[in-house]
């Protein structure tokens, strides 16, 4: 039985869907229509032959709400499978960000130094700017972006989280 | 050899034939002309032309609910499609299987704001179980078959299939039913055996049990209703049925307590509140049933059987969830109950029934005597007395009259009661009755309504006249949106803001203008004869009964209150008779 205590937790949910028009709108509509949170959502085709896409959703809610979200997703006609990676146990989560920093002199050097610590790569550079590519857990990206702020951060593009279970199991 | 080719319009017809569809409720328009032309050239499929697309959907709902089949709707693009939105939402909320085919502008024009273009799949995404835009004529048969599968399997609901004109006109191959199952949608019908055993254990130990069943039992088919009765009889448990579940257990059964919820019976609500084990079968803990959640059945261990996993633990947390079709699970539950030779606590059950007997003795549905004009309860009660020996189908609109119909008309069979439960759609009654009559040409179909709801789809009187559908309409003239007026009286110091209908047509003349019989009962004394005259007339009848305008629906659990905080109605002894000369406003 589900506990009724109202503690909010974050869950990463993977959804395998038919790759058809409207399926993303349906998933997003479900979240907005029922007032659930979306912290991050990514989608891409993962199996062209079978015409399947995988959606990764990071959401938060009480245990009761998370159960609802999964049940609501499961009953959508084009949904094949729903997996709560947070509940299933060990999994890897990754996000990528492109981060543009503008600056010269000391600040420019400092941004490079921090990028090095975070294993971010320079993918574009001008005399006055860098674009860093950084990969990691969302919290690592948050930390990096935070440190870049005083150094001339001007633009960010993030992919949202993708996730996969560790070990042998597959969706 | 290449496969035979058909036009899109021919494919639609072929699918409908293969799906055993015998009637379509539709309204033509520009982009569906080729479809209508194919319809014109055949006579296997019947087409009924309601006077508004909203009514077409409600008619399909009435047809579906009264026959157990899928209701089919065919409308044109743009306004034809947008007019169906209320009906589709209604069908979604009440889990009614409907396939609604909408025309669309040619694929080349989609997105161009073409004449009569609307983003139908976008607009209906949240008011359908699923919807499709068919882009290629070769996909048409597969998608349309799939739509029928989705509409009736799992938790039933409405499905929209949007057909661009070029798809209707194009030529393509036909896909037979067998090759058209959705790849991803596989609802679970069998319940988990371990959970069922656990449920039996809880039930066997119950001292104050209740079976609380809903529309899921009806949707599962008549066998599920039989099984519900069987379960009640082998366990000796009392049964309450939700608004959507009326008829799933004969109301004449001694173990039946009536409906629970806001206007449910005293005994049903008190039993819900005091029970120690609640078995929910195909109901959804709707807020109109539960009242204040914090005080809902506080001592009860709860078992919930539902085909839709998202209905479980949505409003109320339960100890034993069982995902599956009501009929299948009931069958297994009965098997396990019998084979495990459980012995319920007879002494405790006896005491429980004694307690229930005391609640019943309150006679919560007693109503005050008529004045010069009839009490609305009296009119509905007399209608029931006049039809109770017949196999009667009843549709209602929304408001006080709907609750009185639910309270005073009793059903012994499923699929006899059509009402808008989830959405509460005024204007549902007349078209739903029409659809039920189309599906049951020899059945007695009655519509209970009142002026404000009735005016919302009154144009359908013309449809009754055209097809000679002998629907009997009991229209209660209480001069207002009675239900709104009741809340204003109870919670807003009787400030009757916009709830009084100051101008309404002369109903008898209106009926006459539409070419159907009109009757009126102005006093209580005339009610019986008028009902009799309505029932003997061979054809549709609108009977207008003038009723006490100030009568309220009781019992009542005010919004946000708990079951044991129910208000009972005034009795003759304490009442101030509101009489016939009371003027509203
Ligand atoms: C389409 C729609 N609009 C508004 C309402 C809100 N509403 C619920 S009951 C009611 C009054 C219905 O009046 P009437 O049909 O005369 O029935 P009565 O209560 O008098 O029996 C209203 C306005 C509704 N349920 N549906
Ligand atoms: Mg009224």
């Amino acid at each position: 039985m589900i506990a009724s205590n109202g503690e909010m937790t974050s869950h990463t949910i993977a959804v395998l869907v038919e790759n058809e028009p409207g399926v993303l709108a349906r998933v997003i509509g479900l979240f907005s229509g029922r007032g659930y949170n979306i912290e991050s959502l990514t989608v891409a085709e993962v199996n062209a032959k079978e015409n399947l896409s995988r959606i990764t959703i990071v959401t938060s809610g009480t245990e009761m709400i998370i159960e609802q979200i999964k049940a609501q997703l499961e009953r959508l006609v084009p949904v094949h499978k729903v997996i709560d990676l947070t509940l299933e146990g060990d999994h890897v989560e990754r996000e990528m960000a492109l981060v543009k920093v503008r600056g010269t002199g000391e600040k420019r050097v400092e941004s490079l130094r921090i990028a090095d610590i975070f294993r971010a790569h320079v993918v574009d550079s001008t005399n006055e700017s860098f674009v860093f590519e950084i990969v990691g857990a969302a919290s690592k990206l948050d930390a990096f972006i935070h440190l870049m702020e005083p150094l001339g951060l001007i633009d960010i593009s993030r992919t949202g989280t993708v996730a996969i279970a560790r070990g042998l199991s597959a969706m | 050899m290449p496969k035979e080719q058909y036009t899109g319009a021919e494919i639609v017809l072929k699918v409908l034939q293969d799906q055993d569809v015998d009637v379509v409720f539709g309204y033509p328009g520009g982009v569906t002309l080729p479809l209508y032309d194919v319809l014109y050239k055949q006579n296997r499929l019947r087409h009924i032309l309601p006077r508004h697309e909203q009514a077409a959907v409600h008619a399909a709902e009435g047809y579906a609910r009264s026959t157990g089949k899928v209701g089919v709707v065919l409308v044109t693009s743009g306004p034809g499609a947008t007019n169906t939105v209320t009906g589709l939402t209604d069908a979604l909320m009440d889990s009614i299987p409907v396939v609604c085919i909408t025309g669309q502008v040619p694929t080349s024009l989609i997105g161009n704001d073409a004449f009569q273009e609307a983003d139908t799949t976008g607009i209906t995404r949240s008011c359908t179980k699923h919807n499709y835009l068919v882009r290629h004529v070769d996909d048409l048969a597969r998608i349309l078959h799939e739509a029928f599968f989705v509409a009736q399997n799992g938790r039933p609901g409405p499905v929209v299939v949007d057909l661009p004109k070029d798809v209707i006109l194009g030529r393509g191959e036909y896909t037979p039913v067998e090759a058209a199952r959705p790849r991803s949608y596989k609802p679970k019908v069998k319940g988990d055996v371990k959970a069922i055993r656990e449920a039996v254990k809880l039930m066997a130990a119950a001292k104050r049990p209740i079976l609380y069943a809903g529309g899921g039992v009806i949707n599962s088919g008549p066998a599920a209703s039989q099984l519900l009765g069987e379960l009640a009889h082998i366990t000796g448990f009392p049964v309450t049925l939700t608004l959507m579940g009326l008829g799933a257990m004969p109301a004449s059964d001694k173990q039946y307590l009536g409906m629970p919820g806001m206007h449910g019976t005293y005994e049903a609500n008190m039993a819900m509140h005091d029970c120690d084990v609640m078995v929910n079968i195909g109901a959804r803990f709707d807020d109109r049933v539960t009242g204040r959640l914090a005080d809902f059945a506080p001592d009860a261990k709860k078992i919930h059987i539902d085909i839709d996993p998202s209905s479980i633990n949505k409003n109320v947390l339960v100890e034993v969830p069982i995902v599956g079709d009501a009929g299948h699970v009931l069958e297994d539950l009965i098997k396990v109950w019998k084979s495990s030779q459980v012995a319920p606590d007879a002494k405790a059950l006896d005491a429980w029934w004694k307690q229930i007997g005391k609640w019943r003795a309150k006679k919560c549905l007693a109503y005050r005597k008529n004045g010069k004009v009839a009490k609305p309860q009296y009119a509905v009660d007399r209608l029931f007395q006049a039809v109770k020996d017949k196999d009667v189908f009843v549709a209602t609109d929304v408001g006080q009259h709907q609750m009185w119909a639910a309270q005073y008309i009793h059903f012994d069979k499923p699929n006899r009661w059509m009402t808008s439960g989830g959405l509460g759609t005024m204007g549902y009654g007349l078209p739903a009755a029409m659809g039920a009559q189309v599906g049951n040409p020899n059945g007695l179909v009655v519509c209970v309504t009142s002026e404000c709801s009735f005016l919302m789809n009154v144009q359908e009187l013309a449809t009754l006249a055209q097809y000679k559908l002998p629907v009997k309409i009991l229209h209660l003239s209480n001069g207002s949106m009675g239900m709104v007026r009741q809340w204003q009286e109870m919670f807003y110091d009787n400030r009757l803001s916009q709830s009084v209908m100051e101008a309404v047509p002369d109903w008898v003349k209106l009926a006459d203008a539409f070419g159907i019989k009109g009757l009126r009962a102005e006093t209580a004394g005339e009610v019986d004869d008028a009902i009799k005259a309505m029932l003997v007339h061979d054809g549709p009848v609108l009977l207008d009964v003038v009723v006490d305008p100030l009568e309220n629906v009781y019992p009542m659990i005010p919004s946000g209150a708990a079951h044991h905080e129910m208000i009972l109605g005034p009795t003759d002894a304490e009442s101030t008779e509101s009489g016939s000369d009371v003027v509203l406003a």
Side-chain angles (χ1 to χ4, degrees):
Chain A
M1 189 189 163
I2 298 182
S4 50
N5 68 21
E7 215 179 294
M8 301 271 282
T9 49
S10 172
H11 284 243
T12 303
I13 297 170
V15 191
L16 202 62
V17 299
E18 286 285 297
N19 181 14
E20 65 180 31
V23 65
L24 190 60
R26 214 169 279 285
V27 169
I28 292 171
L30 191 157
F31 277 77
S32 61
R34 294 183 183 264
Y36 305 140
N37 296 318
I38 300 183
E39 282 160 19
S40 150
L41 184 147
T42 69
V43 58
E45 188 178 69
V46 290
N47 185 337
K49 218 170 78 207
E50 293 282 319
N51 197 35
L52 295 173
S53 290
R54 179 164 170 145
I55 301 175
T56 310
I57 304 166
V58 182
T59 180
S60 60
T62 60
E63 215 180 328
M64 200 167 165
I65 287 178
I66 298 288
E67 284 306 311
Q68 257 301 296
I69 290 175
K70 288 184 283 185
Q72 293 288 353
L73 283 168
E74 245 155 26
R75 74 179 190 150
L76 295 180
V77 171
V79 167
H80 282 263
K81 207 166 176 192
V82 178
I83 288 185
D84 185 337
L85 290 164
T86 305
L87 275 193
E88 297 280 306
D90 248 5
H91 64 281
V92 187
E93 290 190 12
R94 288 292 180 271
E95 182 174 2
M96 203 242 308
L98 297 171
V99 179
K100 190 176 283 183
V101 180
R102 183 173 177 176
T104 52
E106 207 24 57
K107 285 190 171 169
R108 185 170 162 86
V109 178
E110 178 67 1
S111 69
L112 262 186
R113 222 173 49 77
I114 293 173
D116 197 41
I117 298 169
F118 277 80
R119 296 208 175 87
H121 303 289
V122 175
V123 292
D124 177 68
S125 100
T126 69
N127 288 338
E128 284 178 63
S129 70
F130 288 124
V131 174
F132 296 111
E133 172 202 287
I134 176 166
V135 175
S139 54
K140 173 176 161 184
L141 272 55
D142 290 343
F144 180 71
I145 289 163
H146 183 67
L147 289 172
M148 287 297 143
E149 259 164 30
L151 303 176
L153 177 73
I154 55 169
D155 211 359
I156 309 168
S157 179
R158 295 174 69 150
T159 58
T161 298
V162 292
I164 202 161
R166 286 185 193 274
L168 292 174
S169 69
M171 205 159 172
Chain B
M1 207 179 92
K3 276 176 92 178
E4 207 173 331
Q5 299 268 308
Y6 303 88
T7 67
E10 288 165 350
I11 291 176
V12 171
L13 237 72
K14 222 167 132 57
V15 171
L16 296 183
Q17 229 164 58
D18 284 2
Q19 289 289 343
D20 210 18
V21 173
D22 47 27
V23 61
V24 173
F25 300 90
Y27 209 110
V31 297
T32 54
L33 281 172
L35 257 168
Y36 273 86
D37 199 46
V38 175
L39 273 177
Y40 187 83
K41 295 176 192 150
Q42 58 86 50
N43 51 19
R44 288 182 59 160
L45 186 66
R46 187 167 185 215
H47 183 280
I48 301 282
L49 178 76
R51 270 43 177 177
H52 190 295
E53 288 89 350
Q54 181 195 354
V57 184
H58 292 324
E61 290 185 271
Y63 174 89
R65 245 189 122 63
S66 64
T67 62
K69 294 175 70 176
V70 178
V72 182
V73 178
L74 171 60
V75 299
T76 192
S77 66
T82 56
N83 268 350
T84 64
V85 166
T86 301
L88 293 169
T89 312
D90 192 89
L92 183 71
M93 292 287 273
D94 284 346
S95 312
I96 313 294
V98 168
V99 169
C100 175
I101 301 170
T102 54
Q104 182 55 280
V105 301
T107 41
S108 58
L109 290 182
I110 289 179
N112 283 16
D113 299 325
F115 177 63
Q116 293 196 328
E117 178 184 1
D119 174 12
T120 301
T121 48
I123 290 168
T124 61
R125 191 163 289 131
S126 57
C127 65
T128 52
K129 181 174 171 187
H130 195 54
N131 64 18
Y132 303 86
L133 171 63
V134 184
R135 288 166 191 280
H136 306 286
V137 64
D138 283 333
D139 296 334
L140 174 55
R142 178 185 57 79
I143 290 178
L144 207 47
H145 279 307
E146 189 175 311
F148 275 87
F149 179 87
V150 170
Q152 52 194 320
N153 284 279
R155 179 175 178 174
V159 179
V160 161
V161 181
D162 203 22
L163 294 188
K165 188 165 191 178
D166 52 319
V167 171
I168 300 176
L169 288 169
R171 294 182 76 81
E173 286 172 7
Y174 187 74
T175 312
V177 197
E178 311 80 63
R181 283 271 175 283
R183 297 201 309 155
S184 49
Y185 186 65
K186 296 178 180 91
K188 188 166 174 266
V189 292
K190 289 288 270 184
D192 177 48
V193 185
K194 247 177 57 200
I196 291 174
R197 285 216 189 90
E198 213 175 309
V200 167
K201 230 169 78 190
L202 267 186
M203 288 165 68
K207 294 187 188 309
R208 300 183 310 279
I210 189 160
L211 304 178
Y212 148 52
V217 177
I218 309 245
N219 278 336
S220 174
S225 294
Q226 287 287 327
L227 291 165
L228 174 65
E230 189 182 343
L231 181 68
H233 294 145
I234 60 173
T235 56
F237 291 0
V239 181
T240 179
L241 296 173
T242 68
L243 185 67
M244 296 311 295
L246 297 180
M249 166 102 177
S252 53
D253 195 292
K254 286 201 300 289
Q255 284 169 245
Y256 180 58
L257 306 188
M259 182 174 79
M262 183 171 276
H263 294 299
T265 63
Y266 187 70
E267 50 270 36
N269 282 329
M270 291 306 284
M272 287 284 270
H273 184 265
D274 281 9
C275 69
D276 69 343
V277 171
M278 177 183 290
V279 189
N280 173 340
I281 309 156
R284 57 187 179 92
F285 293 113
D286 179 74
D287 54 271
R288 281 289 190 267
V289 165
T290 62
R292 187 168 66 240
L293 274 177
D295 292 305
F296 174 67
D299 304 331
K301 295 237 184 323
K302 301 175 191 85
I303 299 159
H304 189 180
I305 301 164
D306 206 300
I307 196 156
D308 178 0
S310 74
S311 280
I312 295 178
N313 289 332
K314 181 172 69 182
N315 304 329
V316 172
L317 287 173
V318 300
E319 278 73 11
V320 184
I322 304 175
V323 177
D325 166 69
H328 282 87
V329 177
L330 279 169
E331 196 179 344
D332 290 346
L333 197 64
I334 290 169
K335 262 193 219 143
V336 174
W337 179 277
K338 284 181 174 164
S339 68
S340 49
Q341 299 182 328
V342 283
D345 185 340
K347 239 176 79 191
L349 273 183
D350 200 45
W352 180 227
W353 275 109
K354 284 219 175 76
Q355 175 60 65
I356 289 170
K358 281 186 204 151
W359 290 325
R360 276 178 163 162
K362 287 254 185 198
K363 300 226 171 300
C364 69
L365 293 180
Y367 53 88
R368 292 178 294 174
K369 280 203 298 286
N370 294 318
K372 188 161 155 272
V373 297
K375 292 287 182 191
Q377 300 95 321
Y378 171 81
V380 176
D381 196 6
R382 294 313 294 171
L383 170 72
F384 174 61
Q385 298 306 327
V387 299
K388 67 179 179 194
D389 297 325
K390 305 194 169 89
D391 191 13
V392 60
F393 297 80
V394 178
T396 76
D397 265 302
V398 171
Q400 293 183 315
H401 64 276
Q402 175 189 29
M403 292 298 115
W404 287 317
Q407 291 174 334
Y408 297 101
I409 301 179
H410 303 305
F411 299 89
D412 280 347
K413 285 188 197 163
N415 303 102
R416 295 298 183 278
W417 166 245
M418 269 87 21
T419 201
S420 171
L423 194 62
T425 311
M426 290 169 69
Y428 168 91
L430 177 56
M434 198 165 90
Q437 187 77 76
V438 169
N440 301 274
N442 301 316
L444 170 60
V445 179
V446 177
C447 172
V448 178
T449 184
S450 180
E451 59 275 88
C452 306
S453 293
F454 190 52
L455 279 176
M456 286 204 181
N457 269 321
V458 74
Q459 76 284 348
E460 298 311 319
L461 289 176
T463 318
L464 293 188
Q466 176 175 340
Y467 299 97
K468 302 192 171 51
L469 297 170
V471 172
K472 314 297 183 206
I473 303 164
L474 179 72
H475 176 273
L476 303 180
S477 277
N478 60 357
S480 73
M481 303 171 192
M483 189 57 95
V484 174
R485 187 204 54 71
Q486 173 170 349
W487 284 52
Q488 288 170 335
E489 178 192 323
M490 296 174 83
F491 310 118
Y492 295 88
D493 265 339
N494 208 33
R495 288 184 296 277
L496 303 186
S497 180
Q498 301 301 322
S499 58
V500 178
M501 264 233 165
E502 288 173 26
V504 290
D506 176 322
W507 305 105
V508 175
K509 281 188 190 158
L510 183 81
D512 191 46
F514 274 105
I516 75 169
K517 190 174 180 65
L519 295 168
R520 178 174 293 124
E522 280 178 9
T523 64
E526 293 165 10
V527 169
D528 272 344
D529 284 347
I531 288 175
K532 208 159 143 201
M534 167 172 84
L535 293 174
V536 298
H537 179 72
D538 181 20
V541 181
L542 170 54
L543 165 57
D544 177 39
V545 178
V546 180
V547 296
D548 182 343
L550 296 183
E551 196 57 34
N552 291 335
V553 183
Y554 293 106
M556 178 169 186
I557 303 173
S559 192
H563 282 163
H564 60 297
E565 295 162 353
M566 204 174 336
I567 306 170
L568 293 180
T571 60
D572 278 316
E574 60 190 282
S575 80
T576 48
E577 175 70 51
S578 59
S580 59
D581 45 14
V582 177
V583 188
L584 285 169

